[in-house]
Amino acid sequence: MEYLNSSERLKLLTVAMATNPTLHLMLKLSFAHGLRVTELLSLTGADVSDGKLSIVALKNGISCRQPILIHSNPLIDCSPVIALSAKVGQNPMFPMNRVTVWRQMQTAGKLAGLDPKKCHPHACRHSTAMFVFETTQSLGQVSSILRHRSPASSMTYLRELDASKAIAARDTALAMMVGA
């Protein structure tokens, strides 16, 4: 599994923030919510309300509402999605296709000096899984943040499904990554 470690995520987010604000927001949401690229691209303004993001899971996953990460560091703060959702209404927040996202990630990754094999949209989901696991040592937490129906989809043996712990672990881990 190719994934971005904390240092690599930080580099990619920094480059994206400086060069491509839309990609930056997509990356932040992907890392914070463990989104598949198709889940990300299907988000509309209507999917954001009351500080939460409604995620319609694909591949028989669990659809849910997760709190949007609001943080003082703009590198990881996902609150700009709230203003974007108000602007686009019922329309897609990110009107592009998965190939465009892949190309933008490749460009940002190259500028950040990262291995191109790690700079693809699904690497964000894998990175979220590893980030949560490294923080919690809980495969149940990984299953929860990735919205898997069965922990076997994330790995095989831990069946703890506590979404609030997964969200807290995500917030703590992202804050630790930026030194807050």
Side-chain angles (χ1 to χ4, degrees):
M1 163 170 72
E2 293 290 333
Y3 70 96
L4 299 161
N5 65 34
S6 292
S7 172
E8 292 165 329
R9 285 190 301 273
L10 191 57
K11 288 177 185 176
L12 186 62
L13 286 167
T14 300
V15 167
M17 187 166 86
T19 62
N20 187 336
T22 300
L23 176 63
H24 182 233
L25 182 55
M26 290 190 300
L27 289 171
K28 292 188 292 186
L29 289 169
S30 294
F31 287 137
H33 297 281
L35 298 172
R36 292 178 176 92
V37 67
T38 48
E39 293 168 342
L40 175 71
L41 295 178
S42 69
L43 292 174
T44 69
D47 293 320
V48 176
S49 66
D50 301 323
K52 293 186 178 181
L53 183 66
S54 293
I55 302 166
V56 177
L58 301 175
K59 296 188 175 184
N60 198 32
I62 301 169
S63 297
C64 67
R65 287 177 38 95
Q66 291 182 353
I68 294 167
L69 175 62
I70 298 174
H71 196 276
S72 60
N73 188 324
L75 202 58
I76 61 170
D77 177 35
C78 294
S79 68
V81 75
I82 297 168
L84 177 61
S85 71
K87 181 179 175 185
V88 302
Q90 299 288 326
N91 297 311
M93 288 194 280
F94 307 108
M96 63 185 72
N97 62 44
R98 57 190 304 132
V99 173
T100 301
V101 178
W102 181 85
R103 287 181 180 144
Q104 289 181 5
M105 281 191 70
Q106 287 287 300
T107 299
K110 185 175 183 178
L111 290 171
L114 301 176
D115 181 346
K117 289 187 240 169
K118 292 184 171 189
C119 295
H120 56 87
H122 205 64
C124 295
R125 189 167 166 84
H126 286 286
S127 299
T128 299
M130 291 304 296
F131 203 37
V132 170
F133 184 75
E134 289 167 359
T135 303
T136 66
Q137 298 297 301
S138 168
L139 291 175
Q141 298 302 314
V142 173
S143 293
S144 183
I145 197 73
L146 297 182
R147 300 165 315 282
H148 286 150
R149 285 199 183 278
S150 168
S153 296
S154 302
M155 286 300 196
T156 53
Y157 47 89
L158 197 61
R159 298 194 181 265
E160 176 184 48
L161 295 173
D162 186 337
S164 62
K165 285 183 182 178
I167 296 299
R170 172 208 67 188
D171 294 353
T172 300
L174 287 169
M176 287 172 34
M177 181 179 82
V178 296

